[in-house]
Amino acid sequence: MAVERAGTAPVRGFLLDITGVLYNSCHGTDGISIPGSIEAVKRLYAESRVCFLSNESTNTNENVVSRLGRLGFTVRLEDVITPAPVAAEYIRRNQLRPHVLVHPGIRSYFTALEQPDSPPNCVVMGDAEDEFTYSNVNAAFRVLMKMERPLLITLGNGKFYQRVDGPAIDVGAFAAALKFATNCEHVIIGKPQEDYFQSAVNKLGLKREEVLMIGDDIVSDIGGAQSWNIRGVQVRTGKWRPEWEDHPSVKPFRIVNNLQEAVDTILNNGHF
Amino acid sequence: MAVERAGTAPVRGFLLDITGVLYNSCHGTDGISIPGSIEAVKRLYAESRVCFLSNESTNTNENVVSRLGRLGFTVRLEDVITPAPVAAEYIRRNQLRPHVLVHPGIRSYFTALEQPDSPPNCVVMGDAEDEFTYSNVNAAFRVLMKMERPLLITLGNGKFYQRVDGPAIDVGAFAAALKFATNCEHVIIGKPQEDYFQSAVNKLGLKREEVLMIGDDIVSDIGGAQSWNIRGVQVRTGKWRPEWEDHPSVKPFRIVNNLQEAVDTILNNGHF
């Protein structure tokens, strides 16, 4: 179904962030689904096209889908994009030798790429959570200090994400730490990077202007999408903050209470 | 003794960084004195005026002096300035309620200032070393996120310092992380802050142009000093890097191999 709106192209497909849009995460558990999101995802699968474009870097795509299943969502593995496998492919394609600082949940993507007999020539870092010890951060720092042109690759560049018990500082902050200390080059794999959005638009088989990005991160999701000519819809769930209603640099195409409101409004009325 | 040099004021006193100039630190031990530094300090005490201006934030001033004593240095407690007691005084004077993330070695400076019954209105952070766990960094982040005008006070703002086993990432990097994630205001207590240099110049009872700062950190020591009209002498010990010989923003007054060379050259010859 194509949804028309005066002055803009019809919406033919949806890019959905996962954490903070489908569910709220909770350290050590599966988290809690956000009311209405299960039904909204069901409706999108039935009436439109959907791709899940996440910066999640603590679980493999398979585990993301299983966890969503335990929370009550039906999501197909081939519709999920997360940065870790994309980064692994980037490292392989560029024949890099990574020093890896990631969450144990995605370590498996990088194991075959580490070359213990040669010095690493980049650091790859995700939301490592409790693996962000001083010793591990310092080890990454030392690798960068040894490189003539230090290169840091991060899985997204988020400031923080929302857990049930409060906000949790994210990989972007630790990237800022390493950049301050080493002046390294920084390659981001994930939102808000253009290629990452484009890969999701390709998956939908649509044009950028036919697609909506729905997310809770005003910088990575909304600002990112809108930089690349994709309309961004900010939800008031997950990490959303009241002050973002008047954000200094990002003006979302729309702000809605939650995923269900966005999906029902568009699919019922043909527009916002 | 006053040392003359054409076109500049005579050198009547010396500000000395400690780590990387007097000795190299080594995690878990007292570290190793840098050859010639013990004699150089002895000579400065005998023939000039000296103040030790450090960004050390893992030991109290008393412990800094005892450790230097065990390494063979004779240094008077009243000649040592480190940021922690200065920051404690700043917090007291401004009636702030700090959330504290510092090394256990300096915790005692802040214990009486913490007010467990009221929410903190600033974060004070030093080189916490192994206390920089994800959980502790995240707790500091959450405190800042709750404040309307988040305020971070750090003990210095170094990128890294040199340990015997390699470089160690410093508090400035973790400050960059919190600034990226929260957009907080950042007050630095320590080098390169003007008041901090001035307090050392006052201690010597001299004018800025009569004083030399000798340090291993081209930004905090040399750049800092020179911003405030104090000549900076870079030593090729401690964290010194060959690429700093042609640093893009800081041109030291002089670069010398070590503290002893600087002290002997000036005191023997009257100039560099």
Side-chain angles (χ1 to χ4, degrees):
Chain A
M1 167 186 177
V3 181
E4 305 277 349
R5 190 181 170 274
T8 63
V11 177
R12 298 184 186 273
F14 293 77
L15 304 182
L16 264 51
D17 183 29
I18 297 179
T19 313
V21 175
L22 269 52
Y23 75 100
N24 285 316
S25 66
C26 182
H27 195 47
T29 77
D30 282 335
I32 299 172
S33 72
I34 292 170
S37 289
I38 293 174
E39 297 73 16
V41 168
K42 201 173 287 176
R43 196 165 172 199
L44 285 177
Y45 265 117
E47 302 179 35
S48 186
R49 301 187 198 185
V50 60
C51 172
F52 299 86
L53 187 66
S54 172
N55 272 3
E56 153 90 48
S57 66
T58 61
N59 279 283
T60 60
N61 289 2
E62 287 76 5
N63 285 339
V64 167
V65 169
S66 325
R67 180 172 54 191
L68 288 173
R70 289 191 298 275
L71 290 168
F73 292 91
T74 306
V75 165
R76 300 187 316 171
L77 179 61
E78 58 267 40
D79 300 328
V80 171
I81 301 178
T82 70
V86 180
E89 178 51 33
Y90 177 91
I91 287 164
R92 197 174 290 115
R93 201 170 59 240
N94 289 280
Q95 298 183 294
L96 295 169
R97 300 182 303 276
H99 172 92
V100 180
L101 174 48
V102 299
H103 193 280
I106 59 161
R107 183 98 208 175
S108 57
Y109 285 122
F110 301 99
T111 316
L113 299 168
E114 290 178 271
Q115 295 175 38
D117 297 334
S118 313
N121 60 7
C122 67
V123 166
V124 60
M125 188 164 80
D127 171 23
E129 290 188 344
D130 292 334
E131 295 290 304
F132 280 130
T133 60
Y134 180 73
S135 163
N136 284 346
V137 172
N138 199 41
F141 163 72
R142 287 184 173 187
V143 166
L144 292 171
M145 284 291 276
K146 280 196 187 134
M147 294 168 54
E148 202 175 326
R149 295 177 58 189
L151 171 62
L152 172 66
I153 299 169
T154 64
L155 310 179
N157 195 39
K159 292 173 191 283
F160 72 96
Y161 59 96
Q162 193 66 22
R163 286 185 190 163
V164 171
D165 67 332
I169 193 166
D170 201 1
V171 62
F174 292 89
L178 292 174
K179 282 155 77 176
F180 175 83
T182 69
N183 249 331
C184 56
E185 183 190 347
H186 182 197
V187 169
I188 300 168
I189 306 280
K191 299 173 285 187
Q193 181 218 27
E194 183 172 13
D195 290 353
Y196 198 69
F197 278 102
Q198 186 59 50
S199 67
V201 173
N202 291 347
K203 216 182 243 288
L204 295 177
L206 295 170
K207 293 179 195 152
R208 294 182 186 193
E209 56 271 25
E210 298 173 317
V211 167
L212 277 192
M213 171 78 215
I214 305 180
D216 69 332
D217 189 315
I218 195 147
V219 175
S220 292
D221 293 329
I222 312 305
Q226 297 193 160
S227 299
W228 317 122
N229 203 26
I230 295 166
R231 282 164 285 176
V233 177
Q234 170 76 45
V235 287
R236 293 193 187 96
T237 56
K239 74 178 76 170
W240 173 78
R241 306 270 138 181
E243 59 267 30
W244 292 356
E245 302 272 338
D246 191 28
H247 193 274
S249 60
V250 181
K251 304 287 166 216
F253 173 67
R254 286 289 183 279
I255 303 180
V256 296
N257 286 321
N258 52 50
L259 176 64
Q260 188 172 41
E261 182 184 316
V263 169
D264 285 350
T265 305
I266 297 174
L267 297 184
N268 290 346
N269 304 333
H271 58 79
F272 268 110
Chain B
M1 166 183 178
V3 182
E4 305 277 348
R5 190 180 171 272
T8 62
V11 176
R12 298 183 185 275
F14 292 77
L15 305 181
L16 264 52
D17 184 29
I18 298 179
T19 314
V21 175
L22 270 53
Y23 75 100
N24 286 316
S25 66
C26 181
H27 195 45
T29 78
D30 281 334
I32 299 172
S33 72
I34 293 169
S37 289
I38 293 173
E39 296 73 15
V41 168
K42 202 173 287 175
R43 196 164 173 199
L44 284 177
Y45 264 116
E47 302 179 35
S48 186
R49 302 188 198 184
V50 60
C51 174
F52 300 86
L53 187 65
S54 171
N55 273 1
E56 154 87 49
S57 67
T58 61
N59 280 284
T60 60
N61 289 2
E62 287 77 5
N63 285 338
V64 166
V65 169
S66 324
R67 181 173 52 190
L68 288 173
R70 289 193 298 275
L71 289 169
F73 293 92
T74 307
V75 166
R76 299 187 315 168
L77 179 60
E78 57 268 39
D79 299 328
V80 170
I81 302 178
T82 70
V86 180
E89 179 51 32
Y90 177 91
I91 287 164
R92 198 174 292 114
R93 201 170 58 242
N94 289 281
Q95 298 183 294
L96 295 170
R97 301 183 302 275
H99 172 92
V100 180
L101 174 48
V102 299
H103 193 280
I106 59 160
R107 184 97 208 175
S108 58
Y109 286 122
F110 301 99
T111 316
L113 299 168
E114 292 178 90
Q115 296 174 39
D117 297 334
S118 312
N121 59 7
C122 67
V123 165
V124 60
M125 189 163 80
D127 171 23
E129 289 189 343
D130 292 336
E131 295 290 303
F132 280 130
T133 61
Y134 180 74
S135 165
N136 285 347
V137 172
N138 199 40
F141 163 72
R142 287 183 175 188
V143 166
L144 292 171
M145 283 292 276
K146 281 197 184 132
M147 295 168 53
E148 201 176 324
R149 295 177 58 189
L151 171 62
L152 172 66
I153 299 168
T154 63
L155 310 178
N157 195 40
K159 292 174 191 281
F160 72 97
Y161 58 97
Q162 192 67 22
R163 287 186 190 163
V164 171
D165 66 333
I169 193 165
D170 200 0
V171 61
F174 292 89
L178 291 175
K179 282 155 77 177
F180 175 83
T182 69
N183 249 331
C184 56
E185 185 190 347
H186 183 198
V187 169
I188 300 168
I189 306 280
K191 297 172 285 186
Q193 182 217 25
E194 183 173 14
D195 290 353
Y196 198 70
F197 278 101
Q198 186 59 51
S199 67
V201 173
N202 292 347
K203 217 183 244 287
L204 295 178
L206 295 170
K207 293 180 194 151
R208 294 183 186 193
E209 53 273 26
E210 298 173 318
V211 167
L212 277 191
M213 172 78 215
I214 305 181
D216 68 333
D217 188 315
I218 195 149
V219 175
S220 293
D221 293 329
I222 311 307
Q226 298 194 159
S227 299
W228 318 122
N229 203 26
I230 295 166
R231 283 163 285 175
V233 177
Q234 170 77 44
V235 287
R236 294 193 187 97
T237 56
K239 73 180 78 171
W240 173 78
R241 307 270 137 181
E243 59 267 30
W244 293 355
E245 302 272 340
D246 191 29
H247 192 273
S249 59
V250 181
K251 304 286 167 219
F253 173 67
R254 286 289 183 278
I255 303 180
V256 297
N257 287 323
N258 52 50
L259 176 65
Q260 190 173 40
E261 181 184 319
V263 169
D264 285 351
T265 306
I266 297 175
L267 297 183
N268 290 347
N269 304 333
H271 57 78
F272 269 110

